Amino acid sequence: MSSIAVPSAGLAPRRAWLTDLPVLLVAVVWGASYLAAKDITTAHTVTAVLVLRFGLVVPVLVAAGWRGLRALTAAQWRGAGLLGLVLSGIFLLETYGVVHTSATNAGLIISLTMIFTPLAEAAVTRVRPPRAFLAAAALSVAGVVLLTQGGGFTAPSAGDLLMLLAALARTAHVLFMARVKAVQDADSLSLTTVQLGGAVAVFAVLAAAPGTGDAPWAVAAGFGVREWSGLLFLSVFCTLFAFFVQMWAVRRTSPSRVSLLLGTEPLWAAAAGIALGGERLGALGLLGGILVLAGTSWGRRAVA
């Protein structure tokens, strides 16, 4: 057990699995979310889809957790609001990113969060990560370079770069959740509600601004059964369930363990993109994907 993951060292095997299993389920739905988002979103409907996605779940959360929300202190509201701003940035980067790249690329590039988080945590705590982890990080980065140039040695696409920025933003979000003292004593439901409410407010403001794309109500009116099914999947499973579990788990284990347990996400993203989306990686892309998965798997073992 590395010193980076000390907070989880005392977990008994049974208790650890009770915490780990919901996080692994989050990895499954998040992996499938890239294809679902790509299927119902265009460059002109990103903010509208995000308003609809978050707007469907926030009223339910408010109704379910009204007492908890009223009990939050001013400092807790500010802390959760800050996390909501970071969260809105993550979703903007991810959604615009997946529109401009493949679902497979998106899932594999975002997996670099598993490398960035322990490195960032090591920088904050001033505890140097093991050499094996640093080697695994280098292998993952090399894999991403090949993955994003699967069609030949060209510059990465705009979508690939946006997904890389999203991975960095996810890292910041995980660390903030563990280190913002104001939110440590608040219940997970209230914190999730404030975060998602703050995010949907950001998206609503952006959607109302000129030149940011179609209006949410116009997009909703044009949705058919397939689009509404995809939106409900993104809202209920990929938003409500996923972020509640993440906030619940990060306070019972270490930030690194939460991110590393999400390591199967790129596998599910690749499986969905290839099996359901008809995507192909090409020779270089396939090699890059293998290196990313190998590097993240090695990195998980190095800090476990």
Side-chain angles (χ1 to χ4, degrees), residues 165-183:
L165 291 174
L168 291 170
R170 274 199 190 188
T171 297
H173 189 255
V174 172
L175 291 179
F176 286 167
M177 283 194 296
R179 296 183 181 279
V180 175
K181 294 182 179 179
V183 303

Side-chain angles (χ1 to χ4, degrees), residues 10-266:
L11 290 176
R14 177 179 174 82
R15 183 184 172 190
W17 272 109
L18 289 175
T19 302
D20 292 351
L21 183 58
V23 180
L24 291 175
L25 291 176
V26 169
V28 174
V29 298
W30 272 357
S33 71
Y34 300 104
L35 185 61
K38 189 175 183 66
D39 191 46
I40 68 171
T41 312
T42 69
H44 297 289
T45 63
V46 169
T47 54
V49 169
L50 288 173
V51 169
L52 295 171
R53 173 178 176 176
F54 283 73
L56 287 174
V57 299
V58 170
V60 178
L61 289 174
V62 171
W66 181 246
R67 286 188 178 182
L69 289 172
R70 293 182 63 185
L72 291 178
T73 65
Q76 289 171 334
W77 275 94
R78 288 193 298 269
L82 172 62
L83 291 173
L85 289 176
V86 178
L87 186 62
S88 68
I90 292 172
F91 274 97
L92 285 168
L93 289 168
E94 286 187 356
T95 310
Y96 275 112
V98 79
V99 166
H100 294 290
T101 189
S102 68
T104 302
N105 270 30
L108 289 169
I109 293 172
I110 205 69
S111 71
L112 288 178
T113 303
M114 295 179 293
I115 301 297
F116 295 155
T117 301
L119 288 175
E121 192 176 13
V124 170
T125 61
R126 299 184 180 181
V127 177
R128 181 170 179 164
R131 291 183 179 178
F133 178 83
L134 296 176
L139 186 65
S140 295
V141 171
V144 167
V145 172
L146 291 178
L147 173 69
T148 58
Q149 299 176 356
F153 284 97
T154 58
S157 71
D160 295 330
L161 294 176
L162 288 171
M163 294 308 301
L164 186 61
L165 291 174
L168 291 170
R170 274 199 190 188
T171 297
H173 189 255
V174 172
L175 291 179
F176 286 167
M177 283 194 296
R179 296 183 181 279
V180 175
K181 294 182 179 179
V183 303
Q184 294 304 307
D185 297 327
D187 69 281
S188 295
L189 178 59
S190 297
L191 295 180
T192 301
T193 303
V194 175
Q195 279 196 83
L196 298 186
V200 78
V202 172
F203 302 142
V205 169
L206 291 176
T212 55
D214 299 337
W217 53 86
V219 172
F223 274 0
V225 174
R226 179 176 59 84
E227 289 83 4
W228 276 108
S229 297
L231 183 66
L232 288 173
F233 172 74
L234 290 171
S235 296
V236 176
F237 292 100
C238 303
T239 304
L240 181 59
F241 169 76
F243 280 93
F244 179 81
V245 167
Q246 189 183 24
M247 292 204 66
W248 169 81
V250 79
R251 292 189 290 175
R252 288 162 174 78
T253 180
S254 72
S256 294
R257 187 176 181 90
V258 170
S259 288
L260 297 175
L261 285 169
L262 295 175
T264 56
E265 179 183 346

Side-chain angles (χ1 to χ4, degrees), residues 1-6 8-9 118 130 133 254 256-257 260-261 296-304:
M1 181 70 69
S2 166
S3 58
I4 295 178
V6 166
S8 63
F133 178 83
S254 72
S256 294
R257 187 176 181 90
L260 297 175
L261 285 169
T296 51
S297 177
W298 186 11
R300 289 197 302 274
R301 292 196 300 271
V303 298

